[in-house]
Amino acid sequence: MNYRVYRKFKNYLFLALTLASALAVLAPLFMIIQFVLVQGASSLNLNFFTELPKPVGETGGGMKHAILGTIYLVLLGAAIAIPIGVTCGVYLSEFSKSKLSKTLKLTVDLMSGIPSIVIGIFAYLIVVVPLKSFSALAGGIALAIIMLPIIIKTSEEILKLVPNHIREAGLALGLPRWKVILFIVLKGSISNLLTGIILAISRAAGETAPLLFTAFGNMYLSYHINEPMASLPVQIYTYAISPFKDWQRQAWGGAFVLMVLILTMNLIARYILGKIKDKKGI
């Protein structure tokens, strides 16, 4: 075998190994999606979205309370996490050389590696124990802690993409730095920041463990911030481990709805990110 043929052989060999590795990663994902689609889609009907759960022993009912509860908890967590996360992202981007910035960056890195169940226990200790009750507030705080590292990191990276000469132009016009940051840097990056926020929300929407220690779950429709609240992940878990076939069927339906919700949010974020890259020519 001459050297040219040997190089072609190596090229095809590594190309085949790369393709096989990609398929090995994608195959379980597609199998899970297909299985949930088959099991979940057949369990859905109008009652699933409009009715509350039936008492034990009765068939039918739905997950209206869990769907609305998930939206409520995610919005509550986002309301807490977005202002704090974007502010921290701005600080890391604009004052990256300060000592506080280095400490903050290390803290964010550590937070991103903490298991979600530990975050749930933390929220349980600081909210549920003092208030002596599981609540939507505790669930929202737990989800906010999960969202924070993603929002901070994406905000920092997106704001770093703003060219320095834009900041310098604002300062040269006599604007104070806070106005340059707020009305030029931040305002011009709002659509970009939305991508990181959507990714953070989609990550938090699928979390189960922290809600077991905080919002806990509720078989009834509740909008009170100080009461336990139902959510899709916890309701799926509760129904999946129950001995009732109808509840197990509804658990598959809930998993299907949750998966579609998260996939939709991720696709929206990817679409916005793609548009941003096209616009910037990245």
Side-chain angles (χ1 to χ4, degrees), residues 125-278:
L125 292 174
I126 65 167
V127 183
V128 177
V129 172
L131 297 179
K132 298 178 181 177
S133 172
F134 295 104
S135 63
L137 176 64
I141 290 173
L143 295 184
I145 296 172
I146 291 171
M147 292 181 197
L148 269 176
I150 304 171
I151 295 176
I152 293 173
K153 282 189 172 182
T154 52
S155 300
E156 180 193 1
E157 294 303 322
I158 286 168
L159 294 177
K160 279 182 178 176
L161 294 176
V162 178
N164 277 330
H165 64 78
I166 292 179
R167 296 179 177 84
E168 291 167 358
L171 293 171
L173 290 172
L175 292 173
R177 190 164 186 182
W178 71 269
K179 282 191 175 180
V180 172
I181 294 171
L182 187 62
F183 295 110
I184 297 178
V185 177
L186 202 55
K187 191 175 180 182
S189 305
I190 286 178
S191 59
N192 307 15
L193 294 172
L194 191 63
T195 308
I197 291 170
I198 293 173
L199 288 173
I201 289 174
S202 65
R203 158 78 197 282
E207 289 292 343
T208 307
L211 296 179
L212 286 170
F213 289 93
T214 51
F216 188 67
N218 194 334
M219 294 300 284
Y220 303 100
L221 189 61
S222 170
Y223 297 109
H224 203 291
I225 198 168
N226 290 324
E227 291 180 356
M229 183 167 286
S231 60
L232 268 176
V234 173
Q235 199 67 29
I236 292 167
Y237 172 76
T238 305
Y239 277 10
I241 61 174
S242 74
F244 309 110
K245 292 290 183 186
D246 188 54
W247 281 15
Q248 292 171 6
R249 181 184 59 77
Q250 290 197 36
W252 282 113
F256 174 76
V257 172
L258 188 60
M259 189 180 71
V260 170
L261 183 69
I262 293 172
L263 277 176
T264 303
M265 285 194 286
N266 273 284
L267 288 175
I268 291 171
R270 300 290 175 193
Y271 176 77
I272 295 173
L273 190 61
K275 287 288 182 186
I276 292 167
K277 286 182 175 178
D278 290 342

Side-chain angles (χ1 to χ4, degrees), residues 55-69:
V56 176
E58 291 185 25
T59 58
M63 287 195 183
K64 173 186 172 184
H65 66 316
I67 296 169
L68 293 177

Side-chain angles (χ1 to χ4, degrees), residues 116-130:
S116 59
I117 192 169
V118 177
I119 292 173
I121 294 170
F122 175 72
Y124 173 83
L125 292 174
I126 65 167
V127 183
V128 177
V129 172

